[in-house]
Amino acid sequence: MAEHGDQAMPLAGGQSLIPLLAMRLVRPGHIVDLSRVGELQQVSVAEGRVSIGAMARQRDIEHDPRMPGLVRVAVPHIGHFQIRNRGTVGGSLSHMDPAAEWPAIALALDAVMVAASVRGRRDITADAFMIGPQMTSLEPEELLVEVVLPMRTEGFGFAEVTRRGLGDFALAGAACQDKAVVVFGVGLRPQRLRVVEDFLNRGGGTRAEISAVAASEIQATDAIHTSSHYRRVVAAALVGAVIEESQARGGVA
Amino acid sequence: MTVNGSRWSGDVPARQTLCDFLRDELELTGTHVGCEQGACGACTILGDGEAVRSCLMLAVQADGMELTTIEGMGEPGNLSTLQAAFLRHRAFQCGFCTPGFLASAAEILGSGRRYSRRELRDMLSGNVCRCTGYEPIVEAVFECQR
């Protein structure tokens, strides 16, 4: 990757990149297959943090009891199980589909993304990592190698609305960890709802009041199947729902 | 790699997908190619016992893997239990989606867990059938759990 720069694309599980290649939406000069880099598949837990190697498969994460609660409830929504058999955590984050679950999880948990290149390693906050659709702050020669999450087993909530149940892309979704609130699938990238978070920090309100605050803050765009109005209304309702869910799970919101 | 119990080794074009390799090189045309973007499930096969989309893998990525396609699951006169259940329940009409459904169902049944019809319906939603309306497919898989 150092040699070929933006002409080289890393291939993780291939569940997003191979369709892009098939549709000729990307035409890289070189593809670097990461499937045999064993150290990228490692998962470790230490000092209240979970460290997930970029090539850990969704399937393995889904069945790993060491994962934070938000990860456990959100990962089963990623594609169908056949996709989770091949798809990876790092691949999903690097692909940065605005409707994908992992960017929302990372933003809600204040994840640290570890990028590496021949020049060394650097930490990137989840917020700085995600720029827009298929756009991250990774440099062309850099690779996402690891995601570090805080170990939280309560105070989380997750919900999404799709056209056809599990496995489909989210038309709108929401995730929260305590007072960190995220909507995804509604705009160009997942959005932290800082106004809603301030509202919760000042004591919050009823579910309807929380949803009303969310509706005024969410930045939604139009999409093929949904208008921006629909996405804002649905996402705002989901925000109310996930905060209620997190409180039922012992959250401090 | 091993395909349906037989070892295969050789060179493949780096750009060739696994489904094209199976069909064009090994002439295993029972693996059907529908959408070529991972959505329809028709090309699903077993890779090391797990259901995977053969259109979303390059053939080179299957290096060292053990693959099972529909040709390795049973044959006329000697159907697998699952295939026999599909036949009994009329769980296919045109048959285009059937090899993919059988691969997905093989992993589900291989887990040894007993799922409700509702859970099976969710788990089988990664395969699309345009003929049957899914009821007989869910019934066939449900019956094989007993």
Side-chain angles (χ1 to χ4, degrees):
Chain A
M1 293 188 63
E3 190 181 328
H4 296 290
D6 60 7
Q7 281 304 298
M9 285 193 84
L11 173 63
Q15 305 300 285
S16 301
L17 180 56
I18 303 278
L20 293 183
L21 292 168
M23 291 183 265
R24 307 300 193 265
L25 289 172
V26 294
R27 294 166 172 267
H30 301 270
I31 288 175
V32 183
D33 181 11
L34 304 175
S35 55
R36 277 154 218 275
V37 189
E39 65 199 73
L40 291 182
Q41 296 162 18
Q42 304 294 321
V43 174
S44 61
V45 178
E47 294 166 12
R49 297 195 162 268
V50 182
S51 173
I52 303 174
M55 284 295 287
R57 298 183 307 162
Q58 313 291 9
R59 174 199 177 96
D60 299 324
I61 296 305
E62 181 180 2
H63 300 294
D64 191 332
R66 299 171 297 174
M67 288 297 140
L70 180 58
V71 173
R72 283 191 289 107
V73 296
V75 169
H77 290 270
I78 300 173
H80 295 100
F81 77 88
Q82 300 90 339
I83 302 299
R84 297 195 296 278
N85 280 345
R86 295 284 304 171
T88 66
V89 174
S92 176
L93 284 162
S94 302
H95 179 62
M96 245 311 286
D97 189 311
E101 289 78 5
W102 265 108
I105 296 169
L107 198 56
L109 285 173
D110 282 321
V112 175
M113 329 293 263
V114 183
S117 71
V118 291
R119 289 178 295 145
R121 292 163 72 98
R122 67 177 175 127
D123 291 348
I124 309 173
T125 65
D127 188 49
F129 181 83
M130 47 195 79
I131 294 175
Q134 274 102 56
M135 276 184 288
T136 69
S137 53
L138 289 171
E139 297 294 332
E141 74 282 6
E142 267 184 329
L143 194 64
L144 176 64
V145 292
E146 192 180 336
V147 185
V148 184
L149 308 170
M151 185 61 208
R152 300 301 317 274
T153 55
E154 48 188 35
F156 58 89
F158 183 89
E160 65 178 46
V161 169
T162 64
R163 282 184 302 149
R164 294 176 302 187
L166 288 171
D168 220 348
F169 283 102
L171 299 176
C176 74
Q177 176 65 60
D178 301 313
K179 289 173 184 150
V181 184
V182 170
V183 290
F184 65 99
V186 297
L188 299 178
R189 50 154 276 184
Q191 183 188 358
R192 271 288 283 268
L193 299 182
R194 304 290 181 185
V195 177
V196 172
E197 293 176 8
D198 286 345
F199 182 70
L200 293 173
N201 280 321
R202 292 199 311 270
T206 64
R207 176 168 165 172
E209 286 165 349
I210 293 169
S211 289
V213 175
S216 64
E217 186 182 9
I218 291 168
Q219 292 170 7
T221 53
D222 290 321
I224 291 176
H225 301 292
T226 47
S227 66
S228 57
H229 172 75
Y230 173 90
R231 289 170 129 189
R232 185 164 50 246
V233 168
V234 172
L238 294 178
V239 165
V242 298
I243 288 170
E244 197 167 272
E245 187 187 342
S246 81
Q247 288 165 342
R249 285 197 176 108
V252 294
Chain B
M1 67 173 84
T2 303
V3 183
N4 299 330
S6 302
R7 296 270 300 168
W8 186 90
S9 96
D11 293 325
V12 294
R15 60 180 294 125
Q16 189 170 43
T17 58
L18 182 56
C19 59
D20 284 349
F21 167 76
L22 291 170
R23 292 175 55 85
D24 299 346
E25 187 67 29
L26 302 188
E27 298 184 355
L28 297 172
T29 54
T31 296
H32 294 160
V33 182
C35 68
E36 289 190 90
Q37 47 183 282
C40 79
C43 69
T44 308
I45 63 168
L46 293 172
D48 293 335
E50 297 170 358
V52 295
R53 306 285 205 231
S54 62
C55 76
L56 293 190
M57 282 180 69
L58 298 173
V60 290
Q61 291 181 291
D63 186 15
M65 285 181 86
E66 197 164 306
L67 306 180
T68 305
T69 67
I70 184 66
E71 290 87 350
M73 292 183 191
E75 50 193 303
N78 186 25
L79 298 179
S80 71
T81 307
L82 187 58
Q83 286 174 316
F86 264 58
L87 188 58
R88 203 161 45 247
H89 285 276
R90 306 290 187 263
F92 52 88
Q93 288 177 36
C94 84
F96 189 85
C97 68
T98 313
F101 265 105
L102 291 171
S104 294
E107 182 185 335
I108 293 169
L109 293 173
S111 74
R113 268 194 59 187
R114 216 185 130 71
Y115 296 99
S116 67
R117 286 182 175 82
R118 172 75 233 175
E119 288 171 317
L120 285 177
R121 189 168 283 279
D122 277 342
M123 296 183 80
L124 291 168
S125 67
N127 292 77
V128 174
C129 173
R130 299 286 76 162
C131 306
T132 66
Y134 302 102
E135 291 293 335
I137 296 173
V138 172
E139 277 309 309
V141 178
F142 185 78
E143 180 189 286
C144 287
Q145 296 189 117
R146 288 179 209 146

